[in-house]
Amino acid sequence: MAPNPRPNLTTPFHSKYRAAALTLRGPSGAIESLTRSIANSRVDLNPHQVDAALFAIRSPLTKGVLLADEVGLGKTVEAGIVITQRWAERRRKILLILPATLRKQWQQELTDKFSLPSVILEGRSSDLRQPDRIAICSYHFAAARADDIKQIPWDLVVVDEAHRLRNVWKTSSKIAQAIADGNSHAPKVLMTATPLQNSLTELYGLVSILDPRVFGDIASFRDQFLNGNNNDAAISASKNASPESAPAPCANRFSNTSNSPSASRWR
């Protein structure tokens, strides 16, 4: 008796499906694929937000990026663009780690602006594996379930208010260390408006969450960037400087290079 023939997977329907998938995926970090992904989003995009999202998507050799725009410049939209692109590529194991008070706000933003489904995880019995839904959890949840989170091959982990993890290199920062260890294998997007407040070691902590090999250990970082240089004093002095002596914000510098209406909104 002859074996059953293999099913035909080259019907016109399958061909169109594969062609659409390949077209949507496009080259890594291409503006064309990004445009298709956000075509149905309900948000007014500014050029700097698209640039930031492309920067995050075009980092295949790194373990993540740090989005550190000032308050009000749209870091949530930038992260939403990256999430939408990964979702369109069907890389849908996505985790959002946020302060507990921001969980509902993020869920609403994903639904209203990007039409993305999500679920808020609470309690030890919550299932981290959410097919076709973005998982949203608090800092304390992520720390308590770090071992479980580590077992899942996440396509993307987004951390909002990431400056709360800046002291991860200190042994006393148990929550920060648990979150960093649980997500060490995943590509990450860290979001904070204050990556540097009091000391350069805070920047060291955030970068070490993305990739601990960038600066090495804390002793090496201090030898290279702190010892012999009064950087921390310079940071404190800049915080007390008069507005006239402060450098122009990044958004203002953009407006100097263009007379477009979108650029004028940044002034």
Side-chain angles (χ1 to χ4, degrees), residues 244-257:
E244 292 78 10
S245 62
C250 180
N252 285 350
R253 292 198 295 273
F254 272 113
S255 66
N256 292 336
T257 62

Side-chain angles (χ1 to χ4, degrees), residues 136-185:
I136 301 175
C137 71
S138 67
Y139 276 85
H140 286 85
F141 181 96
R145 300 285 299 274
D147 291 338
D148 297 329
I149 290 175
K150 198 171 186 177
Q151 302 303 317
I152 299 176
W154 299 102
D155 296 312
L156 180 66
V157 173
V158 177
V159 182
D160 197 3
E161 302 288 337
H163 52 268
R164 299 185 180 206
L165 308 179
R166 61 184 180 270
N167 293 322
V168 64
W169 57 274
K170 295 182 178 180
T171 56
S172 59
S173 299
K174 302 299 183 182
I175 292 180
Q177 289 180 350
I179 293 176
D181 181 65
N183 297 280
S184 59
H185 63 297

